[in-house]
């Protein structure tokens, strides 16, 4: 069960990170939990036309999926799948679509969202020391048809299959820690100190967005 919350997204970020910390996950995964939704900051430069504005948001939040192949029925609101331009293209309605079997998710195109934006920010900035597993989790944590419903088996690679348990483990802490309860000032102070040290360890002082 994932509670609907009214608190700022930073509270969810801390909730995710603290859940990973309490489970004894590696510090880099704890930091991943803290920053995993920061790609939503794209709205600061967004526009209505491409769905990255605060008013529209359709290209920022929500589950992602692979474009260029059949849209799975496991998507949220699959009744709208037929509205996709891919639905009228014969090649893009097959299981593998435009992709070679087993090519891997990194060789496919995901519907754009906050995941991909943050992944690209981290990938393109010098001085980011997070392991590749962290960037993988950030990039695909919203690809629910893949890691939750086991779609795209014909496209995923051995690397994707090996990474899937990590993404699922991460999402247990992302989805199921949302609570409409604020942290105390003392808790926030302790977390700022703790996670500030992790940021110094894994991230450069300034990121180009």
């Amino acid at each position: 069960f994932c509670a609907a919350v009214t608190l700022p997204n930073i509270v969810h970020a801390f909730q995710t990170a603290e859940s990973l910390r309490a489970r004894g996950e590696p510090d880099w995964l704890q930091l991943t939990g803290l920053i995993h939704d920061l790609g939503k900051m794209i709205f600061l430069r967004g526009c209505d036309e491409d769905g990255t504005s605060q008013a529209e948001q359709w290209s920022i939040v929500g589950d992602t999926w692979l474009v260029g192949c059949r849209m799975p029925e496991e998507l949220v609101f699959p009744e709208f799948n037929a509205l996709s331009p891919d639905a009228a293209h014969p090649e893009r309605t097959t299981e593998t679509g435009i992709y070679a079997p087993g090519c891997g998710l990194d060789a496919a195109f995901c519907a754009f969202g906050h995941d991909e934006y943050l992944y690209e920010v981290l990938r393109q900035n010098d001085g980011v020391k997070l392991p590749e597993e962290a960037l993988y989790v950030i990039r695909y944590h919203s690809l629910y048809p893949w890691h939750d419903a086991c779609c795209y088996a014909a496209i995923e690679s051995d690397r994707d299959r090996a990474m899937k348990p990590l993404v699922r483990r991460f999402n247990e802490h992302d989805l199921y820690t949302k609570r409409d309860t604020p942290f105390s000032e003392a808790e926030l102070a302790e977390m700022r100190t703790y996670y500030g040290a992790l940021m110094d360890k894994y991230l450069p002082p300034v990121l180009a967005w």
Side-chain angles (χ1 to χ4, degrees), residues 25-153:
E25 295 288 358
D27 62 357
W28 59 263
L29 193 58
Q30 297 170 32
L31 181 59
T32 301
L34 183 68
I35 69 173
H36 75 284
D37 277 343
L38 284 182
K40 293 174 182 177
M41 287 170 49
I42 194 174
F43 84 89
L44 295 170
R45 298 183 177 181
C47 64
D48 291 348
E49 184 179 7
D50 65 11
T52 57
S53 67
Q54 190 168 14
E56 293 292 331
Q57 297 190 31
W58 53 263
S59 194
I60 302 177
V61 298
D63 299 0
T64 57
W65 66 96
L66 297 187
V67 300
C69 62
R70 183 171 62 230
M71 298 179 72
E73 288 299 307
E74 290 80 0
L75 277 170
V76 177
F77 303 120
E79 61 270 26
F80 296 110
N81 287 1
L83 300 179
S84 168
D86 281 353
H89 195 293
E91 184 184 21
R92 298 174 190 169
T93 54
T94 65
E95 185 177 18
T96 55
I98 64 175
Y99 308 114
C103 67
L105 298 181
D106 286 351
F109 297 104
C110 229
F112 187 79
H114 67 278
D115 318 58
E116 184 68 18
Y117 178 59
L118 181 60
Y119 166 77
E120 290 294 341
V121 167
L122 296 172
R123 185 182 70 83
Q124 296 184 40
N125 271 272
D126 293 333
V128 173
K129 299 175 183 176
L130 286 166
E132 64 171 318
E133 291 88 349
L135 272 62
Y136 189 97
V137 166
I138 287 168
R139 192 177 198 185
Y140 297 119
H141 76 272
S142 295
L143 189 58
Y144 286 94
W146 170 66
H147 64 69
D148 187 56
C150 295
C151 300
Y152 309 125

Side-chain angles (χ1 to χ4, degrees), residues 159-200:
R159 176 174 181 262
D160 297 321
R161 283 185 283 274
M163 288 285 203
K164 188 182 292 185
L166 174 63
V167 179
R168 286 175 169 169
R169 195 167 87 232
F170 175 86
N171 271 62
E172 291 176 8
H173 302 273
D174 179 13
L175 279 181
Y176 304 115
T177 60
K178 293 181 180 180
R179 297 290 182 272
D180 217 352
T181 306
F183 290 102
S184 69
E185 287 301 320
E187 289 172 324
L188 288 171
E190 189 278 332
M191 288 188 293
R192 289 190 185 104
T193 299
Y194 178 79
Y195 292 106
L198 296 187
M199 291 181 197
D200 291 341

